[in-house]
Amino acid sequence: MDKLTAEQRSLNMSKIHSKDTKIELTLRSALFRAGFRFRKNDSRYLGTPDIVLPRYNAVIFLNGCFWHGHKNCRLFRLPKSNTEYWEKKISRNIERDKKISETYIKHLCRVGVVWECSLGGSGKARKQKTASLVEEISRWLEEEPEELYKEF
C-alpha cells in the first residue's frame, strides 16, 4: 500500500530527471578539472551514454541504484506497492544495460558504470569520494584496454 496519494506520487516522480542529475554534474566537473574532455548525453551513441570519451574509445554510464537494480546496495529496495510492475521494469532496465554493454565490448569499446552510491554522501565525504573515483577512472582510461568493462 502506497503511503502517498496519486498526486503526491506523481509530483515526486516528475522531479526525477534522466539528464544533468547531481551525480552527473559532480562527476563531469571533476573529470573536466582533471583534464578529460568528453561529450555528454550524446544520443548518436547506443544507449545515450552520460559521458563519451572519444579519445579513449570509452563511454561512462552513471546509474541510479534504484532504477538500474544495483544488487546488495542500500539505495536499492523494491517498493512494497505495485511490486510486480517494479520487478518487471527494473529487470528490463538491467537486461537493456547488459545488452548495451555487450554491444560496446563486442566493438572493443570500454564501458564504465558509475553507481550512484559510489558518489553518495555530502560535503567533504562526497568531495573525497569524487576525487578517488576520478583517480580510479583516470587509471582505467590511461592503461592499455585490458579491462573493457568496469564498475565504479
Side-chain angles (χ1 to χ4, degrees):
M1 185 79 187
D2 199 352
K3 293 179 183 178
L4 301 177
T5 66
E7 293 80 26
Q8 290 171 321
R9 177 67 59 210
S10 179
L11 180 64
N12 284 355
M13 297 304 281
S14 73
K15 292 182 180 183
I16 299 171
H17 299 284
S18 61
K19 289 190 223 173
D20 295 331
T21 61
K22 193 168 190 169
I23 63 169
E24 269 189 64
L25 297 173
T26 301
L27 183 62
R28 285 197 318 238
S29 68
L31 285 171
F32 192 85
R33 281 193 310 272
F36 291 99
R37 298 302 175 254
F38 49 82
R39 296 185 187 124
K40 61 180 190 137
N41 306 110
D42 195 334
S43 60
R44 294 177 296 174
Y45 292 83
L46 178 66
T48 313
D50 298 297
I51 298 171
V52 179
L53 296 135
R55 177 178 174 199
Y56 300 95
N57 196 27
V59 295
I60 297 176
F61 292 94
L62 284 89
N63 287 352
C65 296
F66 172 75
W67 296 105
H68 296 270
H70 191 198
K71 295 209 186 309
N72 303 320
C73 176
R74 64 182 173 76
L75 299 179
F76 174 66
R77 180 181 57 83
L78 275 176
K80 289 183 172 51
S81 63
N82 208 2
T83 305
E84 188 178 320
Y85 165 80
W86 286 108
E87 282 176 345
K88 286 181 182 175
K89 173 150 186 62
I90 291 170
S91 62
R92 281 193 314 263
N93 288 349
I94 292 168
E95 271 305 304
R96 184 193 62 232
D97 293 344
K98 186 178 176 184
K99 285 180 183 174
I100 289 170
S101 294
E102 287 171 353
T103 303
Y104 279 115
I105 291 167
K106 190 167 71 175
H107 291 95
L108 299 176
C109 183
R110 296 181 197 194
V111 179
V113 175
V114 176
W115 289 101
E116 173 185 16
C117 59
S118 68
L119 281 171
S122 60
K124 274 189 176 179
R126 174 175 262 170
K127 285 182 181 179
Q128 289 172 339
K129 282 184 175 182
T130 303
S132 67
L133 181 63
V134 167
E135 194 175 304
E136 193 177 348
I137 290 172
S138 178
R139 279 194 307 271
W140 175 65
L141 291 172
E142 297 294 341
E143 63 189 35
E144 286 299 312
E146 296 167 5
E147 201 172 8
L148 290 177
Y149 180 84
K150 183 156 174 83
E151 290 188 17
F152 303 93

